[in-house]
């Protein structure tokens, strides 16, 4: 084992037609009651890319990613993972994907080690591989000393990390990560970034949602800006940001900056 | 400030009702129940006014003491019946202690139990109306007693919540504190027996209670009516002193709680112990079974039902007249309850269920895993609980019929539960909460689902039930063996069908299932 994390394996996956996108989202739409959460989103995540999905709170990022990963049934549209339709052939598509959903609970009465093992066994992997990879993942994410602690007693950042480990265990070809850096400490975040970069270098594809622009600009090679349930801009980082920083471009696209005086009474002197 | 706190409570109540109509229906039904109870209480108290003062006194002191006791015990058992105005939420605000206390007391009265207690206490004036001086005393004492109820219950919740910093304590407390309630039946039974066996028992009990903080305030008006104002003053002093001590303790523990945020001491543990995961086969269904079995021990919501089963046996033994009576049926009853226990499995998972969805577990594996985890311990438990009572009663000739009935219930119920939990979700205590806590207003709906499920289960197990009855009526051993045969074969068939149908439903509708459970938070 040279790399701490399993790299996306090709041998157990059927040969995909070359040139297909890792994730292709076509016209996904979802309505909750009167509110249209996602209004016809189209996205192409090229194979081998590190794709950032950015948007303000309530933009529809989580809803879009849930529909793309088979967790939430879309009202319209389709999602293809390496050419496999997520809603037509869910089992086949889910084998190709590792998912870190945001805002869901974990089976937190299991210890960290048990949870990652559980995720591996649910995928139908054999025990030896699961044991070996679980150890590697816990080491890489600096959780070895807490491997036997129940996840319910983990801090928020540790919980994120163990959920990430559960998403990586089967060496997927595509990683879908919803807010993977939320409440993760800087050192762990740097470690996770390294893991993800080397994963992309070895041929994997990653899509992350975030609202930390700086992070996305440094880490990703592609980006899509989403607000109000629609895609405002998408492409390589340089295409989207032009001459400005990604943050300035984002604010310009999404709007909503207050340029007035602000809270004039909030002064200490 | 006090008015603000009251308004906050009302706003919170109104907003929580806006979120779901089902909850609103539940609260309305609860309100109707409270109203009915209130009407019953008030009319009873008014009628009581025409009785002999000695009888009035006995009833009021015993009933009043029970009320105070109820206000103290129930919140611990349910681990905070109503924490809408949880003091911990006011930590960052600068509210003077005096006003916070007053606001919390009045806030405690807003709600069905508070209003019922208050109105019933005020009705005591009418009960004593024949003795004007006593009626006046009743007004003062009634109000004091109501405040005592609320303060005592708040004191207990604050004291307990100071202890609940650690998750482990919370887990254990949720189950242990429930035990006294479980034995409430036998206790009341014992008291009732006492009343029946000696006519003076109630009077003597009231005499004792009248000198305790529980009953002193309720007894004072009777002393006045009996022309003994000195005694009444002493009793009121007992009540007021208790109240003062409680308020002092409460404000102490509250101010302590306000500067001591909950802290969960955790010891780091290295890995290496995979528990049940090493003992089940390394397949998806094996993993589901290992996970579910781990939860049966570690999650207090599941563990609670494990604790209740042996208690049930004890209870049936005590109340059912020893080994010969209802105790003999403990096996079938336990099997019935255990089998139904996994009927809300997906609801209990809550959104953690998304892991099953994103890893693409098939419905068949999911259903089999959960059923296997249950059967692994429920099957031996059912056998033991069926055989042991019969051994004690020396009725081993009944073994085939009892075993047939128990296994029939277990298999049929597991099959039904496997289907129900994939098909229906309902609001259950969230992960980490007490097993006996339900979101307000959902009790009624839960009751409907539970009751409906039990009815279907009895219908599915009807052949076994009928054969059992025939056996006991005819006394023919043949029917006993027939019950066993039908229990195993028919029960097994229902089990397979239930798992298959549940699995198929899961495969088609798992995303909708996740959406439904994510609404309960």
């Amino acid at each position: 084992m040279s790399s701490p994390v399993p790299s996306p394996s090709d041998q157990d996956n059927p040969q995909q037609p070359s040139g297909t996108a890792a994730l292709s989202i076509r016209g996904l739409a979802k309505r909750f009651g009167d509110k249209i959460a996602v209004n016809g989103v189209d996205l192409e995540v090229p194979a081998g890319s590190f794709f950032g999905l950015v948007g303000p709170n309530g933009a529809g990022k989580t809803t879009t990613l849930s529909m793309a990963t088979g967790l939430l049934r879309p009202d319209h549209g389709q999602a293809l993972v390496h050419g496999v339709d997520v809603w037509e052939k869910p089992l086949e598509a889910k084998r190709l994907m590792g998912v870190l959903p945001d805002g869901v609970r974990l089976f937190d009465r299991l210890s960290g080690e048990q949870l990652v093992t559980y995720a591996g066994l649910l995928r139908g992997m054999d025990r030896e591989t699961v044991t070996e990879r679980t150890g590697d993942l816990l080491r890489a994410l600096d959780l070895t000393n807490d491997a036997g602690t129940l996840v319910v007693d983990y801090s928020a950042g540790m919980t994120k990390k163990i959920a990430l480990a559960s998403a990586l265990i089967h060496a997927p070809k595509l990683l879908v990560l919803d807010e993977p850096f939320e409440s993760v400490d800087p050192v762990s975040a740097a470690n996770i970034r390294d893991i993800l970069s080397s994963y992309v270098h070895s041929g994997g594809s990653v899509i992350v949602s975030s609202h930390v622009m700086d992070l996305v600009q440094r880490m990703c090679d592609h980006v899509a800006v989403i607000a109000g349930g629609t895609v405002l801009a998408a492409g390589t980082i340089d295409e989207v940001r032009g001459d400005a920083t990604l943050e300035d471009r984002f604010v310009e696209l999404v709007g909503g900056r207050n340029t007035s005086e602000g809270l004039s009474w909030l002064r200490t002197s | 400030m006090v008015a603000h706190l009251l308004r906050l409570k009302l706003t919170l109540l109104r907003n929580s009702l806006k979120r779901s109509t089902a909850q609103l229906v539940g609260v309305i039904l609860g309100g109707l129940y409270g109203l009915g109870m209130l009407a019953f209480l008030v009319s009873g108290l008014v009628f009581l006014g025409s009785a002999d003062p000695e009888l009035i006194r006995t009833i009021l002191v015993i009933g009043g003491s029970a009320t105070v006791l109820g206000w103290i015990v129930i919140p611990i058992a349910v681990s905070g019946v109503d924490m809408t105005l949880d003091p911990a939420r006011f930590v960052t605000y600068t509210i003077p202690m005096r006003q916070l206390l007053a606001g919390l007391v009045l806030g405690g009265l807003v709600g069905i139990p508070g209003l019922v207690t208050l109105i019933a206490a005020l009705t005591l004036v009418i009960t004593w109306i024949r003795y004007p001086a006593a009626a006046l005393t009743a007004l003062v004492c009634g109000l004091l007693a109501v405040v005592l109820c609320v303060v005592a219950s708040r004191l207990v919740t604050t004291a307990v919540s100071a202890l609940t910093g650690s998750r482990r304590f919370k887990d254990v407390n949720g189950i242990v504190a429930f035990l006294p309630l479980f034995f409430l039946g036998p206790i009341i039974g014992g008291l009732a027996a006492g009343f029946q066996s000696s006519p003076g028992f109630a009077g003597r009990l009231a005499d004792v209670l009248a000198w305790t903080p529980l009953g002193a305030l309720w007894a004072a008006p009777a002393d006045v009516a009996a022309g003994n104002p000195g005694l009444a003053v002493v009793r009121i002093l007992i009540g007021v002193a208790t109240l003062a001590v409680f308020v002092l303790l409460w404000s102490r523990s509250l101010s302590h709680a306000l500067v001591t945020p909950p802290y969960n001491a955790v010891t780091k543990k290295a890995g290496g112990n995979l528990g049940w995961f090493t003992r089940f086969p390394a397949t998806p269904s094996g993993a589901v079974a290992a996970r579910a079995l781990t939860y049966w021990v570690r999650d207090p919501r599941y563990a609670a039902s494990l604790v209740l089963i042996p208690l049930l046996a004890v209870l049936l033994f005590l109340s059912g007249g020893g080994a010969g009576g209802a105790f003999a049926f403990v096996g079938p009853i336990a099997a019935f309850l255990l089998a139904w226990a996994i009927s809300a499995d997906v609801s209990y998972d809550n959104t953690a269920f998304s892991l099953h969805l994103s890893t693409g577990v098939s419905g068949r594996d999911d259903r089999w895993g959960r059923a296997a985890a249950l059967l692994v311990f429920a099957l031996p438990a059912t056998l033991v609980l069926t055989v042991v009572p019969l051994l004690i009663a020396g009725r081993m000739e009944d073994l085939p019929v009892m075993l047939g009935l128990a296994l029939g219930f277990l298999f049929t119920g597991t099959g039904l539960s496997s289907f129900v939990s994939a098909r229906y979700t309902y609001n259950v205590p969230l992960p980490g909460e007490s097993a006996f806590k339900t979101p307000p207003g959902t009790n009624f709906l839960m009751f409907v689902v539970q009751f409906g499920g039990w009815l279907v289960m009895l219908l599915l197990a009807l052949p076994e039930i009928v054969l059992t009855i025939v056996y006991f009526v005819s006394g023919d051993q043949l029917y006993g063996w027939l019950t066993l045969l039908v229990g195993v074969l028919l029960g097994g068939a229902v089990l397979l069908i239930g798992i298959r149908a549940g699995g198929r439903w899961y495969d088609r509708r798992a995303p909708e299932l996740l959406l439904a459970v994510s609404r309960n938070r």
Side-chain angles (χ1 to χ4, degrees):
Chain A
M1 277 301 299
S2 53
S3 155
V5 169
S7 53
S9 47
D10 274 305
Q11 66 275 15
D12 53 337
N13 290 319
Q15 199 60 46
Q16 299 298 333
S18 59
T20 52
L23 176 64
S24 164
I25 292 175
R26 295 179 192 157
L28 277 187
K30 184 73 188 178
R31 170 202 291 270
F32 293 112
D34 321 324
K35 188 174 174 288
I36 296 173
V38 173
N39 191 6
V41 164
D42 293 293
L43 282 180
E44 289 284 315
V45 178
S49 69
F50 203 139
F51 197 101
L53 184 61
V54 297
N57 298 328
K61 301 188 292 283
T62 297
T63 311
T64 305
L65 293 182
S66 299
M67 290 191 288
T69 51
L71 296 182
L72 178 69
R73 198 183 299 275
D75 293 339
H76 296 286
Q78 58 177 167
L80 307 173
V81 179
H82 286 285
V84 181
D85 191 310
V86 174
W87 291 95
E88 298 278 308
K89 296 178 182 168
L91 296 187
E92 201 179 320
K94 282 169 183 173
R95 262 200 290 281
L96 301 171
M97 267 190 294
V99 184
L100 170 71
D102 185 39
V104 303
R105 291 167 191 273
L106 300 174
F107 283 105
D108 56 14
R109 301 275 156 166
L110 300 180
S111 68
E113 191 182 21
Q114 284 179 323
L115 182 63
V116 181
T117 305
Y118 186 40
L121 293 177
L122 284 184
R123 296 270 186 187
M125 298 163 63
D126 64 86
R127 198 190 295 279
E128 288 70 37
T129 317
V130 170
T131 311
E132 186 188 319
R133 289 187 182 177
T134 302
D136 290 342
L137 283 166
L138 291 174
R139 247 189 317 283
L141 292 166
D142 194 24
L143 287 169
T144 310
N145 289 334
D146 285 300
T149 312
L150 297 197
V151 175
V152 67
D153 292 329
Y154 274 12
S155 71
M158 290 159 77
T159 310
K160 270 285 184 217
K161 289 197 281 177
I162 206 73
L164 181 64
S166 314
L168 290 172
I169 183 93
H170 62 297
K173 298 189 77 174
L174 167 71
L175 269 178
V176 183
L177 311 176
D178 198 354
E179 297 285 356
F181 296 103
E182 204 177 43
S183 46
V184 172
D185 68 86
V187 177
S188 301
N191 286 343
I192 295 177
R193 273 208 309 277
D194 287 348
I195 293 171
L196 294 181
S197 301
S198 76
Y199 169 79
V200 171
H201 279 301
S202 68
S205 322
V206 179
I207 174 167
V208 293
S209 81
S210 178
H211 34 233
V212 185
M213 295 303 140
D214 203 34
L215 197 79
V216 172
Q217 186 173 340
R218 267 188 295 138
M219 195 173 64
C220 301
D221 45 45
H222 287 67
V223 68
V225 181
I226 178 171
T230 46
V231 176
L232 300 182
T236 64
I237 295 269
D238 291 334
E239 280 168 13
V240 170
R241 75 182 170 120
D243 299 329
T245 64
L246 185 60
E247 180 154 349
D248 289 342
R249 179 73 180 126
F250 175 79
V251 171
E252 188 188 317
L253 280 168
V254 173
R257 275 283 280 148
N258 289 323
T259 46
S260 63
E261 266 302 281
L263 305 173
S264 58
W265 46 266
L266 190 59
R267 307 255 155 87
T268 47
S269 59
Chain B
M1 181 51 66
V2 176
H4 277 113
L5 288 173
L6 267 184
R7 207 169 313 140
L8 173 65
K9 166 117 190 193
L10 287 173
T11 314
L12 285 171
L13 191 65
R14 201 174 53 225
N15 288 353
S16 78
L17 294 185
K18 263 189 212 155
R19 279 190 57 199
S20 109
T21 20
Q23 209 165 331
L24 182 66
V25 173
V27 168
I28 291 175
L29 286 169
L32 286 177
Y33 176 74
L35 214 61
M37 194 142 129
L38 188 65
F40 172 74
L41 269 177
V42 167
S43 53
L45 288 172
V46 171
F47 273 118
L48 191 61
S50 56
D52 170 49
E54 192 59 31
L55 181 66
I56 301 181
R57 179 190 123 100
T58 305
I59 289 177
L60 288 188
V61 170
I62 294 178
S65 305
T67 309
V68 180
L69 204 62
W71 273 84
I72 295 175
V73 172
I74 293 173
I76 332 177
V78 195
S79 118
V81 189
D82 178 10
M83 287 303 267
T84 4
L85 293 187
D86 184 354
R89 293 185 187 168
F90 299 110
V91 167
T92 51
Y93 300 96
T94 50
I95 305 172
M97 181 56 73
R98 216 172 263 274
Q99 298 184 3
L100 183 60
L101 292 182
L104 290 177
V105 169
L106 288 180
L109 285 177
V110 176
I112 295 162
L115 287 178
V116 169
T117 312
L118 181 67
I119 294 176
L122 290 178
T123 316
L124 294 187
V125 176
I126 305 176
T127 312
W128 288 112
I129 204 74
R130 281 191 295 153
Y131 311 88
L136 197 64
T137 320
L139 177 65
V140 177
C141 290
L143 289 176
L144 280 175
V146 171
V147 176
L148 181 68
C149 285
V150 179
V151 169
S153 111
R154 287 280 145 183
L155 169 64
V156 167
T157 17
T158 316
V160 169
S161 74
L163 289 175
T164 51
S166 82
R167 176 189 51 77
R168 203 168 281 272
F169 177 86
K170 231 187 245 168
D171 288 358
V172 174
N173 175 55
I175 300 171
V176 171
F178 185 74
L179 299 188
L181 281 191
F182 200 78
F183 284 104
L184 209 58
I187 293 172
I188 291 175
L191 282 178
F195 286 127
Q196 280 167 359
S197 61
S198 71
F201 180 76
R204 280 204 302 283
L205 182 65
D207 283 341
V208 174
L209 286 173
W211 286 110
T212 66
L214 293 180
L217 283 170
W218 307 106
D223 296 328
V224 174
N228 207 340
L231 203 57
V233 170
V234 176
R235 303 230 204 253
I236 293 176
L237 279 180
I238 293 179
V240 171
T242 313
L243 189 57
V245 170
F246 279 13
V247 168
L248 189 73
L249 285 177
W250 181 32
S251 89
R252 281 268 176 82
S253 63
L254 195 56
S255 39
H256 179 72
L258 287 183
V259 293
T260 328
Y263 172 72
N264 190 7
V266 177
T267 43
K268 286 187 165 206
K269 262 197 224 147
N273 181 11
L274 283 172
W276 292 110
F277 284 95
T278 51
R279 270 164 243 166
F280 278 90
T283 59
S285 58
V288 173
R291 200 276 303 165
L293 201 57
T294 311
Y295 263 55
W296 272 98
V297 182
R298 281 210 198 128
D299 189 326
R301 298 171 303 164
Y302 286 99
S305 29
L306 288 189
V307 175
L308 291 185
I309 295 295
L311 279 180
L312 181 81
V314 175
L315 204 65
L316 284 178
F317 186 79
L318 290 180
S319 64
F327 184 56
F329 283 89
V330 76
I333 294 174
F336 188 94
L337 293 177
L338 278 174
W340 183 250
I342 58 165
S343 67
D345 238 25
V346 174
S347 303
Y348 276 141
D349 289 353
N350 204 272
T351 48
F353 177 63
S354 66
L355 183 66
H356 285 212
L357 202 48
S358 63
T359 50
V361 181
S362 72
R364 201 182 136 270
D365 288 339
D366 178 279
R367 298 292 103 191
W368 265 119
R370 293 171 194 270
L374 174 75
L375 291 176
V376 158
F377 69 87
L379 198 57
T382 302
L383 291 180
V384 169
L385 286 173
T386 309
V387 173
V388 170
L390 292 178
L391 267 180
I392 294 176
R395 278 169 46 188
M396 284 310 277
E397 70 276 11
D398 290 342
L399 188 61
V401 71
M402 285 304 192
L403 216 49
L405 191 61
L407 292 179
F409 276 152
L410 186 64
F411 292 147
T412 309
T414 308
L416 179 65
S417 293
S418 296
F419 177 73
V420 166
S421 92
R423 177 68 184 79
Y424 302 99
T425 61
Y426 45 97
N427 284 7
V428 296
L430 294 174
E433 280 183 349
S434 160
F436 305 101
K437 186 174 176 182
T438 43
T442 52
N443 291 323
F444 180 73
L445 288 171
M446 220 171 131
F447 176 77
V448 170
V449 175
Q450 298 267 19
F451 192 73
W454 287 7
L455 215 63
V456 173
M457 199 157 139
L458 287 176
L459 278 178
L460 288 175
L462 205 57
E464 289 96 314
I465 297 172
V466 169
L467 279 172
T468 306
I469 295 172
V470 171
Y471 168 84
F472 278 111
V473 170
S474 69
D476 190 342
Q477 199 65 27
L478 172 70
Y479 291 104
W481 290 105
L482 263 178
T483 313
L484 184 57
L485 192 71
V486 171
V488 171
L489 290 184
L490 187 67
V494 175
L495 178 64
L496 292 181
I497 293 170
I499 285 178
R500 179 168 293 203
R504 209 172 291 154
W505 185 270
Y506 173 104
D507 285 336
R508 257 184 303 143
R509 307 295 289 176
E512 281 69 23
L513 211 51
L514 177 64
L515 190 65
V517 292
S518 63
R519 293 216 173 94
N520 174 22
R521 49 165 97 214

